[in-house]
């Protein structure tokens, strides 16, 4: 989250990351299986949503990468059971809080993100920077500048040679 805070400050003149497109914050991680996930969610999700006001909306962003040990329906059911006593509303769009769950062969992780779509641009760092008018200079831009400088030098040298030939012809 700190990276997004730093990149979302338009007055910051620090360079923009040009080789990073998306960064996914996983605040809580566990083994990519249902029982460890249920235990981790039960232990940490209420605390992560502690500052949410009653009636606030939430939704689930579930990303499963080459794993079938955790299904979206099981994850949603587990989260609903934990969130129900907090009196938060499930929303399919325009949710105030997004519970992001990532499952891959090595790890399962989740985070509670406020402003996932609007503020964090779905964790797309380049989209965030572009929305603020901050862009990274690419290697191609650097090469173009070098090419332009080289072309300018060649043009000057051709002009000097032409003048020398003109002077020799006149003499």
């Amino acid at each position: 989250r700190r990276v997004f805070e730093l990149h979302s400050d338009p007055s910051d003149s620090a360079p923009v990351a040009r080789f990073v497109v998306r960064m996914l914050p996983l605040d809580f991680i566990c083994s990519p299986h249902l029982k460890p996930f249920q235990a981790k969610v039960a232990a940490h999700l209420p605390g992560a949503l502690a500052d949410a006001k009653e009636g606030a909306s939430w939704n689930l962003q579930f990303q499963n990468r080459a794993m079938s040990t955790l299904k979206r329906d099981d994850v949603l059911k587990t989260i609903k059971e934990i969130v129900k006593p907090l009196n938060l509303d499930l929303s399919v769009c325009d949710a105030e809080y997004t519970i992001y769950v990532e499952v891959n062969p090595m790890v399962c992780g989740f985070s509670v993100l406020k402003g996932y779509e609007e503020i964090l641009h779905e964790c797309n760092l380049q989209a965030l920077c572009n929305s603020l008018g901050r862009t990274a200079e690419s290697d191609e831009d650097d090469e173009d500048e070098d090419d332009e400088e080289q072309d300018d030098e060649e043009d000057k040298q051709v002009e000097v040679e032409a003048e020398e030939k003109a002077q020799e012809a006149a003499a």
Side-chain angles (χ1 to χ4, degrees), residues 153-168:
E153 289 176 17
E154 289 174 0
D155 291 343
K156 288 179 184 176
Q157 188 169 354
V158 168
E159 289 175 13
V160 168
E161 290 174 1
E163 284 180 25
E164 288 176 356
K165 285 183 182 179
Q167 289 175 355
E168 287 177 8

Side-chain angles (χ1 to χ4, degrees), residues 98-118:
T98 299
I99 301 171
Y100 184 88
V101 178
E102 172 89 21
V103 182
N104 64 50
M106 300 298 292
V107 70
C108 170
F110 71 94
S111 284
V112 176
L113 304 169
K114 189 171 184 176
Y116 176 73
E117 292 177 1
E118 304 83 27

Side-chain angles (χ1 to χ4, degrees), residues 13-147:
S13 62
V16 174
R18 63 180 162 176
F19 300 113
V20 178
V21 175
R22 184 175 289 252
M23 293 186 75
L24 302 171
L26 299 177
D27 294 331
F28 309 101
I29 59 171
C30 62
S31 170
H33 300 284
L34 185 57
K35 293 285 184 193
F37 176 75
Q38 289 172 331
K40 189 64 82 168
V41 167
H44 297 287
L45 189 58
L49 290 168
D51 59 346
K53 296 177 182 171
E54 189 172 315
S57 60
W58 66 277
N59 70 5
L60 173 67
Q61 286 292 324
F62 180 78
Q63 187 66 41
N64 190 350
R65 301 179 192 277
M67 288 295 291
S68 60
T69 56
L70 269 175
K71 305 262 192 262
R72 180 182 179 89
D73 292 340
D74 294 335
V75 168
L76 185 59
K77 181 181 174 188
T78 300
I79 292 173
K80 280 174 134 179
E81 290 173 2
I82 303 300
V83 171
K84 188 174 184 174
L86 301 175
N87 295 322
L88 301 177
D89 298 327
L90 178 59
S91 175
V92 292
C93 64
D94 299 329
E96 188 176 345
Y97 294 92
T98 299
I99 301 171
Y100 184 88
V101 178
E102 172 89 21
V103 182
N104 64 50
M106 300 298 292
V107 70
C108 170
F110 71 94
S111 284
V112 176
L113 304 169
K114 189 171 184 176
Y116 176 73
E117 292 177 1
E118 304 83 27
I119 299 169
L120 297 176
H121 295 273
E122 296 181 358
C123 296
N124 186 323
L125 194 58
Q126 289 186 356
L128 170 70
C129 292
N130 288 341
S131 72
L132 298 169
R134 297 183 67 200
T135 58
E137 293 181 17
S138 69
D139 289 337
E140 292 175 5
D141 292 342
D142 295 342
E143 290 174 6
D144 290 344
E145 289 174 10
D146 292 343
D147 290 344

